[in-house]
Amino acid sequence: MRALVTGANGLLGANIIRELLRQGLDVTGVVRPDADLAGLAGLPVALVRGDVLDAPSLAAAASGQDLVFHTAVPFSYWGHEPAEMTRTAVEGSRNVLAAAAASNVRRVVMTSSSVTLGASYRPEVRDETARAEDDAEEPAYVLAKISQEREALEAARQLGVEIVFACPTMSVGPFGASLGPSNGVVTSYLADPLKLSWAGGCNIVSVHDVAMGHVLLAAYGEPGQRYVLGSENLRWAEIHGLVAELAGAPPPRGEASAVACYALAVAEEARARITGAAPLATRAQARMVGRFYWYSHDRAAALGYRPRPARQALAEATAWLAAGRHISRETRAGMRLHRDVHVARLALAASERRFSEGWAA
Amino acid sequence: MPGVVAIAHDGKTDGAVLLDRALSLSGFREAMAPRIAQALAERGACSAIVVPALDGFAADSPARTNPRLVEQLLDVLLDLGVTDVAVGSTRATAALWLENRDVFVAADLLGYRYETPAGWPYDVIDLSEDAEPGAFPSWGPLADTDLSRAWRDADLRLVFSANRTDDDDGYALTLSTLLSVLPRTDKDYHYRYRLDVGDVVAQLLAAAPVHFALIDAVVSGHGQAGGRRPIPLATDTVIAASDPALADYVGALKMGLDPFVSALAATSLRAVRSTPDLAILGSVDVYPGWVNPAPALVASTAVRRGFVTADRAIRPVLQHVDRELFPFRHPANDWLNRSLADVASAGPTGEEGAALLSLVNLAAGELEKVGEAWGVVAAKDLLRQSDAPLNIDPDAVTGAQYDAIAGELLPQTELLRGVAADSGGVRWRFDDGAVLFDGARRIPLPFEAFTDAVPIHRTIQFMNDYAGGRALATARDDTGRVTRQVERNLYLPQPNYTALGGGVTIDVTKIETMDYGPRRQRMFWKTVRSENGSAIADDGIVTFEALGDDTLVTIWGRQHFALPPLWAAIDSQITADMKAALVTEAYGRFFQRTFANLEAVAEGRDVRIGRPWTEASQAEALPVERVADAVRRFTPEGGFDLSAMVKRVLGKGPGATPEPVKIDSDGFRHFQSSGPPEPGPVGQALTVLLSDLRHAARVDSGGER
């Protein structure tokens, strides 16, 4: 069986490719011409240079494929123009579906997001029956994903393409070409000299599990349905406490108020504009303080989805991040990694070695 | 051969005659003849390269060697039997900010004619074009530097400098000109900021000795501004010497200077000051009317050089340039230069400008010290990494010295027996003013995996606050593992806060041995030198040991660092308890961060602090270029239109004249239909900001549901 993955060098794309390779599929990845391919190094995967906004490049890549995994929308709260992000999400998805229809692809698994289910200021758990509203004050990423789901469903109906939506929660783990807000949960806490947490919470999941969930949906998902791919619902203080424990950093000193978070985000954005570096937090993220992005993955669980606990997901993410450029040397020098993180790193290295030794074989 | 320096002076004749006299007086022809004969006998050919000063920024500048004299020297060489003569040089730092500083173009503009007075053709060659590795020993400042094959292979290497003052070194003569043999364009960056330029020149001389050196002092450049604004002065002299250091020694005396005022020349001068049977022929009287840069200017310029960014920004601004010949590459430098070059060299001999510039230099230097101290304490990765070439000869270290280290150090580890460890597992005690300490951590990685990733002979480079240095293996075992090495280490001032009050970089040179067992590896080190006197002792042992499925890392050390006066005074006044608390904190921190670094190295990370120096292949942007880039980030059009920026930020004021949204091909101006005035971006941003803050306040008060 053959599968095409768009956004192949992104956090989800790189992990979906690994999962497909483990299951013995022939995999083709679509990457932009200037993509950073470090996260795909050594993998037996065919790469096609293209762009989801460039329909002909997709048509060629989709030819002969059985499945398409469409992940290519940047998850970002900084550095992307809202209009461009929406265009990539909506027009890019239409192009992918059109290419899939032209090539008689059996099914498209489209990566949406749990944020399309909305969030609450109360600690309540949402499922796939919930929907976020097109509130103009929502971050551009959230609005883009809402539009993408709506437009893609309609386009798939018109084109006669089977589509299933994967709605990952906060996915942490290795191999993304850029840091992204999800792994940023780990790095920004470690880089924060004040070691503050804040109100609200989110659902943390391993990107490995999200990748496996995508492949599961390709086999068993019901066309037109949305599936949350998450793990544990935790308060931010709990998440930061886990990060601190795993990295050997001080635990959270307390919760910053929403006003303080917003003020810090303003200051961070100003610093980022001057230095050219990414901010530790943005105003778009600060507006989300106090909300509970808590979700149930029961619908996916009914298909066999079994995610690992959030602590293990964070240990794996910390293992990968601690060894890379997203944690500064100075921050790393202040860390004392938990044994579980070392174990996760060794397991990750062993898993990568198996690709070079021929996993499928 | 005995050293000789000949000074030909005559106010009533011209340069050609003076050169001929200097050559005759110095025995140049007699000294060169055997070399030429030998080359002709061996290969049937003899090559000579003359390196002149091309530092002139105007056609008739006294900062450049007179091309006519260089060409006359080529004729002399050809008459002696040399078969191939060439004028050689490389591009210098000014080529980064001026056009036409390419060797061939600059030579052309400064008057080289590619034909000698006798009608013989000669080449001008760029000595960077055939630069190749292998010329320099692996342990010195130029260890990784290439050198021109033509220069190395030349049968005769000659330097013919101009005669001028210099605000970097007091004077710029043959040794300064010799620097233009080195290949990198940004010579200030690579040979002055990064390295001790005196050591650079000395090693260059050692690797490819110069056979004769001459100074064109017929018309010299004197004055306080040195090469920035060389003021012509007829000094009617040519100096010829058997060694460039001797030429510079006498040249500086003729200027009335202590020759050792030049950091560039001092190391080489010390090597020749005791030349046997040295003959100085001619008068060493000071040139009449000669004006040198004020000592304060030279000293303050050295201080400014420590602030690399400021120095790189200032130099293009200060240089007097013939813009017709050498236009500025960047309009900002051109504009600043027009405004400030005259100010910085004002006064008949530059004395007014020198006073002002000295203050600016000192201010820049002080700013750098503050920035450096802040970097050490709070922002280590903003510091520039340090290059520290080995400063002992590895061949001079005997096997007995290596063999004695373990036997000397191991018994001292017993001195910590009975000392209670703190909560972090660190023990320490004082011993003769030094601190004996040890600490251990069990790292949850298998011994083989850990030792594969962390070569024990590099452990010191992974320790907390390691700022740079160099190691050279002197022995290896059968499997290629290093068993002996010499190493020079730089560490940030210890404790870091001493940087706020005169604390200096710890600079220690060590000899080291390593032993490797199946379940244990050890490294021993002993300090044999501290170039800046910052350390009295810094010896130690590190052990990697298998412990079940983990690796136990143990570090023992004996350290005694010299405190700067301020901190020594404070140290003498504090109580024993307070001192103990400070030592405990310092070593606790050292171990926490060193062990974290070792873990990080095992993960494959680079743990070295600071910004690396940019290599020649990807030259560091000049400050003016960086400022221009920053302006572009804020101005989408890429220009610096202040009024457009103000309009964009503030929006239209009430009653402002509407601007057309389009002007069509017939010249009609199209306007948007009038409506309520829209706030500018600042107004819009403020509206969003207030709305967000109101929302955040509602969240905090529990009002958001």
Side-chain angles (χ1 to χ4, degrees), chain B residues 252-333:
Chain B
L253 292 178
K254 293 281 293 174
M255 294 178 181
L257 285 168
D258 171 358
F260 291 85
V261 71
S262 165
L264 180 146
T267 310
S268 303
L269 295 180
R270 288 190 185 98
V272 298
R273 68 187 309 175
S274 54
T275 300
D277 302 323
L278 172 63
I280 300 178
L281 309 173
S283 167
V284 292
D285 289 353
V286 176
Y287 302 119
W290 187 266
V291 175
N292 285 309
L297 178 61
V298 176
S300 70
T301 303
V303 169
R304 190 189 72 207
R305 276 201 308 274
F307 190 170
V308 172
T309 303
D311 197 62
R312 281 162 63 80
I314 286 173
R315 283 182 189 269
V317 173
L318 302 182
Q319 182 64 52
H320 279 245
V321 174
D322 180 341
R323 287 175 162 74
E324 295 296 316
L325 298 182
F326 305 109
F328 279 89
R329 287 176 175 269
H330 201 286
N333 273 336

Side-chain angles (χ1 to χ4, degrees), chain B residues 212-227:
Chain B
F212 229 84
L214 299 108
I215 300 173
D216 165 15
V218 180
V219 177
S220 304
H222 79 140
Q224 300 253 6

